[in-house]
Amino acid sequence: VTRSLPISLQSCQCLAWKPRPVGVWPCASESQHVVAGYSDGTVRVFSVSRTEMELKMHPHAAALTAITYSTDGEMILSGGKDGIVAVSSPRTGMTIHVLADHKGSPITVLQCTRKQYHDFGVEGGELWLAASSDRRVSVWASDWLQDKCELLDWLSFPAPAGPEGLDSLPPSLAAFCPWEHGVLVYVGFGLQKEALFYSLRKKQVLRKIPLPAFATSLSLSPAAPFMAIGFGDRLLRLQPCPAGAPQDYAGHDDTVHFCCFAPSGRRLLTASHSAVLVWELPGA
């Protein structure tokens, strides 16, 4: 640990790094920022270089469950346990959008990606998605400077009644596919144990990849066509896409509840209850 940020009496539920502007090379004097979501519904922005909180906002009435920056770092998207999504400006501290489409179900994922201005026939410079624990995924096209936020697609994945003896259902997880334009990947509790590749252009599932169990975490490599999937039985799987023999690893001592590729795609960070592992991927 090289720096310690200020302590809060509230519980920190989620974190996200502020993205670096396109074309800007990192330097020692660069001021890095982290945004954090808390159990009291607040969103707090911290300066890593100065180890201090710079901004505190209160856009939610419930605990935060997901948070991210827009692709240019000019907006913060936050999701709560009550399913409310808020879009706030770290420059002004004001919340400019409140979306209740997922109301009633905790937000499990928020993700933004850049897009061409006329992709999918809607205006806006980026796409973003929200997934909630009731197996719903909404996809939006946004132009924050023009105060535009338009629903592009709404997905709802079927599932059987919850099995007896299972304390909590596997999370609903979704991510834009870095190597396949206009496609998102979804995993979650459903009729089958599988990863679904859905085309936003064709409005249909393109293919399915069978899984050994319901996934508990998901990350797609930004550098090569494969994904990392965590499971409840301590298993981590690296899955080539669209097809290929998966590689399974059992280095964890509990459910692999988090996995995330580095921007280079050469390292993978995974976490379980009492272990955080960093994987080297020389072939990536």
Side-chain angles (χ1 to χ4, degrees), residues 94-177:
M94 300 293 292
T95 297
I96 62 172
H97 287 288
V98 176
L99 306 170
D101 300 73
H102 291 268
K103 186 175 181 179
S105 185
I107 301 298
T108 51
V109 176
L110 290 169
Q111 187 191 15
C112 299
T113 187
R114 289 184 177 87
K115 65 180 278 290
Q116 297 297 317
Y117 192 76
H118 295 294
D119 279 0
F120 312 106
V122 293
E123 295 184 351
E126 76 177 19
L127 294 179
W128 63 274
L129 65 78
S132 51
S133 59
D134 57 359
R135 302 172 304 281
R136 295 183 295 168
V137 180
S138 59
V139 183
W140 307 76
S142 299
D143 186 338
W144 305 121
L145 294 178
Q146 300 297 322
D147 196 28
K148 293 181 179 179
C149 185
E150 181 177 349
L151 182 64
L152 179 65
D153 210 337
W154 182 266
L155 313 178
S156 183
F157 296 94
E164 296 182 5
L166 191 62
D167 294 333
S168 59
L169 295 177
S172 301
L173 305 172
F176 291 111
C177 188

Side-chain angles (χ1 to χ4, degrees), residues 188-259:
F189 180 67
L191 300 176
Q192 303 293 333
K193 301 177 180 70
E194 57 192 3
L196 304 177
F197 285 71
Y198 177 86
S199 170
L200 294 170
R201 295 183 183 278
K202 297 181 179 180
K203 307 290 185 181
Q204 66 182 39
V205 174
L206 299 177
R207 59 186 173 275
K208 304 175 181 180
I209 295 180
L211 302 176
F214 291 117
T216 55
S217 55
L218 171 72
S219 184
L220 277 62
S221 171
F226 63 92
M227 56 186 179
I229 309 169
F231 298 97
D233 56 357
R234 301 175 293 174
L235 181 70
L236 172 69
R237 169 167 289 191
L238 294 181
Q239 174 70 58
C241 299
Q247 303 173 50
D248 291 338
Y249 302 92
H252 282 279
D253 58 357
D254 204 338
T255 297
V256 185
H257 61 75
F258 177 82
C259 55

